[in-house]
Amino acid sequence: MKLPVILAMLKKDFFGLLPLILLSLATFLLVPVIANLDLVGMGGDQSFWVFLQANIYWLGFGLGLLLMISVIQQDPASSLTHDWLTRPVSRREWLMAKLVFLLLFFLLPVLFSRLIINLSEAMRPGLAFAYALGIESMEATLLLPLFLMAALLASNLRQLIMLMVGVFFVFLLPGWSATRPILAAAGIELGGDYDGLMWVQAVVVFTAGLIGAGFVFWLLYHRRQSRSAYVAFWSSVAVMFLAVYTPPWLYNWDREIALNAALVNTDNVELEAQISLSKAMACFPAAIVGNVNATDQELRVLEQAAWVPEAAALEPGAMTFVSAIRYRETLTEWFSPAGSNREYSVPWRLDWMRSRARFAAETLPGEVELQYSGTALNRYQPLSATERKFWTVPANVLAQLKADPNPELVMHFDIALLKPTAFELPVDGRRHDFPGLGSCKAEIDANSNRVDIECLKRGVQPDLVSAQFVGMNSTRTDSSFRANYTHDWVQMFGRHRYELALEMPSLLENPVVMISAFELQRLVEKQLLVPGILGDRQAVCPLPGEGDSEIERASSWSDKSPHEVSYISVEPGVRLEVLDWRQQDRPNTPTLLLLPGLGATAHSYDEIAPELAQEYNVVALTRRGTGSSSKPDRGYGIERLAQDVLRTMDAMEIREAVLVGHSFGGEELSYLGANHPSRVTGLIYLDAAYDRVSVSGDGYMRRQRALGSLLPLEPLIRPSELVSYEALQDYARRTGRNANIPEGEVIASYDLGSGEIKHDMRYLDALMRGIVAPDYASISVPALSLYAMAGSAADLMEGWFDQNDPELLAVLEELVDIEQQRKSAEIQKFSQEMSDARVVVLEGADHWIFLSHEQDVLRLMREFVEGL
């Protein structure tokens, strides 16, 4: 290889392309300037600057392509007067000269430009250089072989444009009305989409382009066979076309999943048994197309399905329904923040990659595949715990199913299992390095009440990145609506910037971010058989408009407890719901202020409060973030909650009171008793006196969670059991339970249409994050603590459990042992540290102790209050 020849060619190309080189260098140097523009302070047409900042990288990429094309066309193969033919110049020297040119005037300027951008973002020099080396867009690299082939073939710009226009029209063929039917007959259609598995098609496109470019170069510059080079070019384009618009007979979902499963499912076979699917609703919501008497719920089903007008099965009389499928979170990792011995569960994620459904029935000639809506409103939430798919049943099929005594819905799911690795990310604006995730930073945007998170990763990428506040699963946000399963070797030279945002950090006094990198562990196939048409036989799950009159009529729910409802302002913009059972003015009678558990409202006391009100002044408070009380974006620490209680007492002219707290209400009791004893005459803990902060990290939570996943799921509630409180009692009897929570609490906390809880979990999570360890030693007021304790496996035996199952009995016995050990330790701590306390254990009671053992609780509370 002769260096003077290479330098001579570089000199010729440099002066021949000098204007384009200068324009490209100016653009590359402008990229860091424009990328770091403060658009807020920019004058003029703001939309122009936003557009320029968003597309400046593509302008640089386009100029780079133009440089590549132009330098190759300086020495086209068809010319007999260029350097490599007249001197002569070897092919290796020609190729080296072109590569050095691109290195000097394209790659190095781009690298320098990226390095400036990275350093301006306060990256460390090593990170800035490493991240600058990565390929910005792996998708854009797919175009390089195509343009390289075209540049080698075309001797001038006019020929190049004609070639690229031809390629453009080829890729538009499936969309033309004239050619669409012909290609459709071969299975080539628009819309073939394999989501996160499309890397296989991308590899085929790039490989075909690269091989094609090699053949074009060899045929032109070695064999001088121009026609053969054109054949190689269009053959490569044809392969690319088939890779993009893959006909099902060549490549389909089954082969896509099978190929990826062969690469991934090399071990971890035991994970298959960890995935258990079941219905999430007793009856699937449904609606008849064209029904003028459709209910609001049925209209919502059709609206959420968002069927495209071309859907063939949407003739009047067809039925759309929603299949709701849930899985049990048995796969869990654990995370403990720095300086804490409390562990938080980080569940694995399930990506529902493909869902199919069909009906099988004796009246049908064969199994009927159902059409699903790919445009449904929930299509961008595939990683949720509940899979909801919208299906349609043609009118003629529906008529046959209605006449069949035993129709069966068969659902098939292809699921990806994603394992998390969690890290603690301080909200300090500085970069922190995490293995497998790259360099991340988090900083608060106080104006938007948001935490902005950015992670930079070069090389192999995680399949999914998520972020949340520590201990607040409800705040979780993902880097993408769909996980990316591109194989590691394809990502080796790429880079990616993950940007996530967590809303309302003001919910926490000291927000800490947990960021997780998810990696694909296994692809799993699961099948679920569901009897009936809508989840059960038609007598239980009737079709729309054909149900029992009791189901069709409006629900008859009402809060019958004799209380007055008022709202008290505890700070600007924050009002709390207060229930008052005081029937008359009794100034010398003790006042009981009742505080509910987490996720419950004051209505949880609707049944026991009237009993107490016969002897005492009784009021109850619904804390902020719950029920009808205000839900501000701050103020969920225990000190603020205690102030809410005191402000409520002041507004109601209650100088002092006996505080009664169930479950989480014990947090307010302990804080008020230790810090405001003058306002408290006594404390009554209803299964509430626990240290929820200084939880031992001895693994009992892990074991308890693992055992809980082995218990049979609770029977789902039927639509007919949600029409009234009396009907709900039928559900309690069907499941073997003695009682339900009060009717008013059901109304306040649950959606009566679906039975799902109404509370926003972000506020409940914030309440849990705002607690402190109880300071029992500082509490001087008298206290009564009632504990619910399982005495044997029989106390945990639910009505739907198999009492003769020895494995189930062994699980329940271990759960009883764990509960007794944990609660015994809490009882000992409470008894030893409290100066004036009485502890009573009610064996066999459940957590809602004042419902399961109402008379015992009333008796003990009266004895305590009378003794004050």
Coordinates of all heavy atoms in Angstrom, one line a residue, residues 285-330:
P285 N -66.6 -7.5 31.3 CA -67.5 -6.4 30.8 C -67.7 -6.6 29.2 O -66.8 -7.0 28.5 CB -66.8 -5.2 31.1 CG -65.8 -5.5 32.2 CD -65.4 -6.9 31.9
A286 N -68.9 -6.3 28.8 CA -69.2 -6.5 27.3 C -70.2 -5.5 26.9 O -70.9 -4.9 27.7 CB -69.7 -8.0 27.1
A287 N -70.3 -5.4 25.6 CA -71.3 -4.5 25.0 C -71.7 -5.0 23.6 O -70.9 -5.6 22.9 CB -70.7 -3.1 24.8
I288 N -73.0 -4.8 23.2 CA -73.5 -5.2 21.9 C -73.4 -4.0 21.0 O -73.8 -2.9 21.3 CB -74.9 -5.7 22.0 CG1 -75.0 -6.9 22.9 CG2 -75.4 -6.1 20.6 CD1 -74.2 -8.2 22.5
V289 N -72.8 -4.2 19.8 CA -72.6 -3.2 18.8 C -74.0 -2.8 18.3 O -74.8 -3.6 17.9 CB -71.7 -3.6 17.7 CG1 -71.6 -2.5 16.6 CG2 -70.3 -3.9 18.2
G290 N -74.3 -1.5 18.3 CA -75.5 -1.0 17.7 C -76.7 -1.0 18.7 O -77.8 -0.7 18.3
N291 N -76.5 -1.4 20.0 CA -77.5 -1.4 21.0 C -77.9 0.0 21.4 O -77.1 0.7 22.1 CB -77.1 -2.3 22.1 CG -78.2 -2.4 23.2 OD1 -79.3 -2.1 23.0 ND2 -77.8 -2.9 24.4
V292 N -79.1 0.4 21.1 CA -79.5 1.8 21.4 C -79.8 2.0 22.9 O -79.8 3.1 23.5 CB -80.7 2.2 20.6 CG1 -80.4 2.3 19.1 CG2 -81.9 1.3 20.9
N293 N -80.0 0.9 23.6 CA -80.3 0.9 25.1 C -79.0 0.5 25.9 O -79.2 0.1 27.1 CB -81.4 -0.1 25.4 CG -82.7 0.3 24.7 OD1 -83.1 1.5 24.6 ND2 -83.4 -0.7 24.1
A294 N -77.9 0.7 25.4 CA -76.6 0.3 26.1 C -76.4 1.2 27.3 O -76.8 2.4 27.3 CB -75.4 0.5 25.1
T295 N -75.9 0.6 28.4 CA -75.7 1.3 29.6 C -74.4 2.1 29.4 O -73.6 1.9 28.5 CB -75.5 0.3 30.8 OG1 -74.4 -0.5 30.6 CG2 -76.7 -0.5 30.9
D296 N -74.1 3.0 30.4 CA -72.9 3.8 30.4 C -71.7 2.9 30.4 O -70.7 3.2 29.7 CB -72.8 4.7 31.6 CG -73.9 5.8 31.5 OD1 -74.4 6.1 30.3 OD2 -74.2 6.5 32.5
Q297 N -71.7 1.8 31.2 CA -70.5 0.9 31.2 C -70.3 0.2 29.9 O -69.2 0.1 29.4 CB -70.7 -0.1 32.3 CG -69.6 -1.1 32.4 CD -69.8 -2.2 33.5 OE1 -70.8 -2.1 34.2 NE2 -68.9 -3.1 33.6
E298 N -71.4 -0.1 29.2 CA -71.2 -0.8 27.9 C -70.7 0.2 26.9 O -69.9 -0.2 26.0 CB -72.6 -1.3 27.4 CG -73.1 -2.5 28.3 CD -74.5 -2.9 28.0 OE1 -75.1 -2.3 27.1 OE2 -75.1 -3.8 28.7
L299 N -71.1 1.4 26.9 CA -70.6 2.5 26.0 C -69.1 2.7 26.3 O -68.4 2.9 25.3 CB -71.4 3.8 26.2 CG -72.9 3.7 25.7 CD1 -73.5 5.1 26.0 CD2 -72.9 3.4 24.2
R300 N -68.7 2.6 27.5 CA -67.3 2.8 27.8 C -66.4 1.7 27.3 O -65.3 1.9 26.8 CB -67.1 2.9 29.4 CG -67.4 4.2 30.0 CD -66.8 4.4 31.4 NE -67.3 3.4 32.3 CZ -68.4 3.5 33.0 NH1 -69.1 4.6 32.9 NH2 -68.8 2.5 33.8
V301 N -67.0 0.4 27.3 CA -66.3 -0.7 26.7 C -66.0 -0.5 25.2 O -64.9 -0.7 24.7 CB -67.1 -2.0 26.9 CG1 -66.5 -3.1 26.0 CG2 -67.1 -2.4 28.4
L302 N -67.0 0.0 24.5 CA -66.9 0.3 23.0 C -65.9 1.4 22.8 O -65.1 1.4 21.9 CB -68.2 0.5 22.4 CG -69.2 -0.6 22.3 CD1 -70.5 -0.2 21.8 CD2 -68.7 -1.8 21.5
E303 N -66.0 2.4 23.7 CA -65.1 3.6 23.5 C -63.6 3.2 23.8 O -62.7 3.5 23.0 CB -65.5 4.7 24.5 CG -64.6 5.9 24.4 CD -65.0 7.0 25.4 OE1 -66.0 6.7 26.2 OE2 -64.3 8.0 25.5
Q304 N -63.4 2.4 24.8 CA -62.0 2.0 25.1 C -61.5 1.0 24.1 O -60.3 0.9 23.9 CB -62.0 1.4 26.5 CG -62.3 2.4 27.6 CD -62.4 1.7 29.0 OE1 -62.5 0.5 29.1 NE2 -62.5 2.5 30.0
A305 N -62.3 0.2 23.5 CA -61.9 -0.8 22.5 C -61.3 0.0 21.3 O -60.3 -0.5 20.7 CB -63.0 -1.7 22.1
A306 N -61.8 1.1 21.0 CA -61.3 2.0 19.9 C -61.1 1.2 18.6 O -60.1 1.2 18.0 CB -60.0 2.6 20.3
W307 N -62.2 0.5 18.2 CA -62.1 -0.3 17.0 C -61.9 0.6 15.8 O -62.5 1.6 15.7 CB -63.4 -1.1 16.8 CG -63.5 -2.2 17.8 CD1 -64.4 -2.3 18.8 CD2 -62.9 -3.5 17.8 NE1 -64.3 -3.5 19.5 CE2 -63.4 -4.2 18.9 CE3 -61.9 -4.1 17.0 CZ2 -62.9 -5.5 19.2 CZ3 -61.4 -5.4 17.3 CH2 -61.9 -6.1 18.4
V308 N -61.0 0.1 14.8 CA -60.9 0.8 13.6 C -62.1 0.5 12.7 O -62.7 -0.5 12.8 CB -59.6 0.4 12.8 CG1 -58.4 0.8 13.6 CG2 -59.6 -1.1 12.6
P309 N -62.5 1.5 11.9 CA -63.8 1.3 11.1 C -63.7 0.0 10.2 O -64.8 -0.6 9.9 CB -63.9 2.5 10.2 CG -63.0 3.5 11.0 CD -61.9 2.8 11.6
E310 N -62.5 -0.4 9.8 CA -62.4 -1.6 8.9 C -62.6 -2.9 9.6 O -62.6 -4.0 9.0 CB -61.0 -1.6 8.2 CG -60.8 -0.4 7.3 CD -60.4 0.8 8.1 OE1 -60.2 0.7 9.3 OE2 -60.4 1.9 7.4
A311 N -62.8 -2.9 10.9 CA -63.0 -4.2 11.7 C -64.2 -5.0 11.1 O -65.3 -4.5 11.2 CB -63.1 -3.9 13.1
A312 N -63.9 -6.1 10.5 CA -64.9 -6.8 9.8 C -66.0 -7.3 10.7 O -67.2 -7.5 10.2 CB -64.3 -8.0 9.0
A313 N -65.8 -7.6 11.9 CA -66.8 -8.3 12.8 C -67.7 -7.3 13.5 O -68.4 -7.7 14.4 CB -66.1 -9.2 13.8
L314 N -67.6 -6.0 13.2 CA -68.3 -5.0 13.9 C -69.7 -4.7 13.3 O -70.1 -3.5 13.4 CB -67.5 -3.7 14.1 CG -66.3 -3.8 15.1 CD1 -65.7 -2.4 15.2 CD2 -66.9 -4.2 16.5
E315 N -70.3 -5.6 12.8 CA -71.7 -5.4 12.3 C -72.6 -5.3 13.5 O -72.3 -5.8 14.5 CB -72.1 -6.5 11.3 CG -72.5 -7.8 12.0 CD -71.3 -8.7 12.2 OE1 -70.1 -8.2 12.0 OE2 -71.5 -9.9 12.5
P316 N -73.8 -4.7 13.3 CA -74.8 -4.6 14.4 C -75.1 -6.0 14.9 O -75.3 -6.9 14.1 CB -76.0 -4.0 13.8 CG -75.4 -3.1 12.7 CD -74.2 -3.9 12.1
G317 N -75.1 -6.1 16.2 CA -75.4 -7.4 16.8 C -74.1 -8.1 17.3 O -74.2 -9.1 18.1
A318 N -72.9 -7.7 16.8 CA -71.7 -8.3 17.3 C -71.5 -7.8 18.7 O -72.0 -6.8 19.2 CB -70.5 -7.8 16.4
M319 N -70.6 -8.6 19.4 CA -70.3 -8.2 20.8 C -68.9 -8.0 21.0 O -68.0 -8.7 20.5 CB -70.8 -9.4 21.7 CG -70.6 -9.1 23.2 SD -71.1 -10.4 24.3 CE -69.9 -11.7 24.0
T320 N -68.6 -6.9 21.7 CA -67.2 -6.6 22.2 C -67.1 -6.9 23.7 O -68.0 -6.5 24.4 CB -66.8 -5.1 21.9 OG1 -66.7 -4.9 20.5 CG2 -65.5 -4.8 22.6
F321 N -66.0 -7.6 24.1 CA -65.9 -7.8 25.5 C -64.4 -7.6 25.9 O -63.5 -7.6 25.0 CB -66.4 -9.2 25.9 CG -65.5 -10.4 25.5 CD1 -64.5 -10.9 26.3 CD2 -65.7 -10.9 24.2 CE1 -63.7 -12.0 25.8 CE2 -64.9 -12.0 23.8 CZ -63.9 -12.5 24.6
V322 N -64.2 -7.5 27.2 CA -62.8 -7.2 27.7 C -62.4 -8.4 28.6 O -63.0 -8.7 29.6 CB -62.8 -5.9 28.6 CG1 -61.4 -5.6 29.0 CG2 -63.5 -4.8 27.9
S323 N -61.4 -9.1 28.2 CA -60.8 -10.2 29.0 C -59.8 -9.6 30.0 O -58.9 -8.9 29.6 CB -60.2 -11.2 28.2 OG -59.1 -10.7 27.5
A324 N -60.0 -9.8 31.3 CA -59.1 -9.3 32.3 C -58.5 -10.4 33.0 O -59.1 -11.2 33.7 CB -59.9 -8.4 33.3
I325 N -57.1 -10.6 32.8 CA -56.4 -11.7 33.3 C -55.3 -11.1 34.2 O -54.6 -10.1 33.9 CB -55.7 -12.5 32.1 CG1 -56.8 -12.9 31.1 CG2 -55.0 -13.7 32.7 CD1 -57.9 -13.7 31.7
R326 N -55.1 -11.8 35.3 CA -54.1 -11.4 36.3 C -53.1 -12.5 36.5 O -53.3 -13.7 36.2 CB -54.8 -11.0 37.7 CG -55.5 -12.2 38.3 CD -56.2 -11.8 39.6 NE -56.9 -12.9 40.2 CZ -57.7 -12.9 41.3 NH1 -57.8 -11.7 41.9 NH2 -58.3 -13.9 41.7
Y327 N -52.0 -12.1 37.1 CA -51.0 -13.1 37.5 C -50.5 -12.8 38.9 O -50.7 -11.7 39.4 CB -49.8 -13.0 36.5 CG -48.9 -11.8 36.7 CD1 -47.8 -11.8 37.6 CD2 -49.1 -10.7 36.0 CE1 -47.0 -10.7 37.7 CE2 -48.3 -9.6 36.1 CZ -47.2 -9.6 37.0 OH -46.4 -8.5 37.1
R328 N -50.0 -13.8 39.5 CA -49.5 -13.7 40.9 C -48.1 -13.4 40.9 O -47.3 -14.0 40.3 CB -49.8 -15.0 41.7 CG -51.2 -15.5 41.7 CD -51.5 -16.6 42.6 NE -51.5 -16.2 44.0 CZ -51.9 -16.9 45.0 NH1 -52.4 -18.1 44.8 NH2 -51.9 -16.4 46.2
E329 N -47.7 -12.4 41.7 CA -46.3 -11.9 41.8 C -45.5 -12.8 42.7 O -45.2 -12.5 43.8 CB -46.3 -10.5 42.2 CG -46.8 -9.5 41.2 CD -46.7 -8.1 41.7 OE1 -46.3 -7.8 42.9 OE2 -47.0 -7.1 40.9
T330 N -45.2 -14.0 42.2 CA -44.4 -14.9 43.0 C -42.9 -14.7 42.8 O -42.1 -15.1 43.6 CB -44.7 -16.4 42.6 OG1 -44.5 -16.5 41.2 CG2 -46.2 -16.7 42.9

